[in-house]
Amino acid sequence: MKTQLENIIHTVYHKERRNLFTFLTGAGISSDSGIPTYRGTDGIWVKGTQFHKPEEFGTLKYFRQHPEEVLQYSLFRKKMFESATPNESHFELTRIENRLEDRFHLLTQNIDNLHRRAGSRRIYEVHGNNREIKCSNGCKGILDLPMEIQGKNIDEDLTDLDKELLTCTYCGHWMRPNILWFDEYYDEKTNKKFSALKIAKNSGVLFIIGTSGATSLPIAIAETALKYGAFIVDINTEDNNFTSLIRNRKNVLIIREKSTDVLKVIRETIENLTS
């Protein structure tokens, strides 16, 4: 594995065109920080939404019917995310970015803010993030979640101040998390859809880390990278939706090891090239 990985990195580093090093991350990269993945037996949906499937609860339709319940759950996740700390995989990516600078891009499905807290800067949050809010009626732009609003325990209700601050001052509708729900479409404003696909097109290598490819844009990113000749390196602990897409293709490396160990090899190889 190490030799193949080093050869890919050397090849891409010396390319003149399509030479971006792109990393696509999902919930698996944050599991070592204590944040449950989404669909596993201990997943965040299982812990937080006892009576609902994620495809039902995590929707704009459900929010419009039960806004306080969804907002309370969003604040439960806020507390979970803030209690977690970035792990070594997050920091390895930051070290890689510091070496590659503008040849590095990070596309993440995660809304937990851990990449930013680890120091990454060239980030495209394709599922939005939990630190921002926007009007559910669409009447104004994206805002930071007010600092006065605190994270919640799973059984803790919204306060009167929470409700006031989560009401749009323009139209009176509820504010909502700036994240992508299951019944919504990817766009550029919230999800950086077209920017992400452009990066994929210009990538020399796409590293897929800790994501199963259960949603459409990550799969489209991999398909675009393949179409335009990128190497694909799938770094996950088990097979996934990406595996069926890339298996038996040229320029593909499938690695079934922990992301921290593989990212260390990537970082050391890049350091040797940039020293």
Side-chain angles (χ1 to χ4, degrees), residues 122-240:
R122 296 170 180 85
I123 309 173
Y124 296 77
E125 295 166 318
V126 300
H127 286 170
N129 66 78
N130 206 53
R131 67 180 181 275
E132 296 174 333
I133 54 175
K134 58 188 177 183
C135 177
S136 61
N137 195 40
C139 77
K140 59 189 300 187
I142 297 168
L143 305 171
D144 290 333
L145 184 70
M147 294 181 61
E148 296 90 341
I149 297 179
Q150 301 299 310
K152 303 291 184 188
N153 295 323
I154 189 59
D155 57 353
E156 189 177 359
D157 293 332
L158 299 179
T159 66
D160 289 340
L161 179 60
D162 293 334
K163 295 175 185 178
E164 178 183 345
L165 294 174
L166 290 170
T167 300
C168 179
T169 56
Y170 286 82
C171 70
H173 283 77
W174 285 101
M175 303 294 283
R176 51 158 289 184
N178 184 34
I179 62 175
L180 183 74
W181 280 325
F182 286 94
D183 58 348
E184 296 183 302
Y185 295 98
Y186 290 96
D187 63 14
E188 177 66 18
K189 183 177 181 181
T190 296
N191 312 114
K192 303 295 185 259
K193 174 183 177 179
F194 300 110
S195 295
L197 292 173
K198 182 178 179 180
I199 289 167
K201 179 179 178 180
N202 290 288
S203 294
V205 57
L206 173 66
F207 298 97
I208 299 169
I209 306 173
T211 171
S212 64
T215 51
S216 61
L217 181 56
I219 290 292
I221 288 167
E223 289 173 336
T224 301
L226 277 173
K227 178 180 178 181
Y228 287 93
F231 290 93
I232 304 290
V233 181
D234 175 22
I235 306 166
N236 278 285
T237 56
E238 57 188 28
D239 287 354
N240 53 74

Side-chain angles (χ1 to χ4, degrees), residues 27 35-50 73 76-77 80:
I35 296 177
T37 57
Y38 285 84
R39 293 172 178 81
T41 56
D42 65 340
I44 194 168
W45 291 108
V46 176
K47 288 179 178 293
T49 54
Q50 182 178 358
Y73 181 62
F76 159 68
R77 286 208 283 179
M80 179 189 297

Side-chain angles (χ1 to χ4, degrees), residues 6 21-22 62 67 102-103 116 128 175 182 186 219 221 223 225 250 264 267:
E6 289 172 338
F21 288 75
T22 303
Y62 192 89
D102 60 1
R103 293 184 64 177
R116 289 185 183 275
M175 303 294 283
F182 286 94
Y186 290 96
I219 290 292
I221 288 167
E223 289 173 336
K250 294 193 301 181
K264 181 180 178 182
R267 189 253 305 160

Side-chain angles (χ1 to χ4, degrees), residues 100-119:
L100 292 173
E101 297 181 334
D102 60 1
R103 293 184 64 177
F104 172 99
H105 287 288
L106 174 58
L107 313 177
T108 186
Q109 298 167 232
N110 297 342
I111 65 170
D112 55 32
N113 209 38
L114 292 183
H115 282 303
R116 289 185 183 275
R117 288 170 57 192

Side-chain angles (χ1 to χ4, degrees), residues 8 13 27 41 54 61 65 81 122 221 224:
I8 289 171
Y13 187 80
T41 56
K61 178 182 177 180
Q65 295 169 343
F81 296 154
R122 296 170 180 85
I221 288 167
T224 301

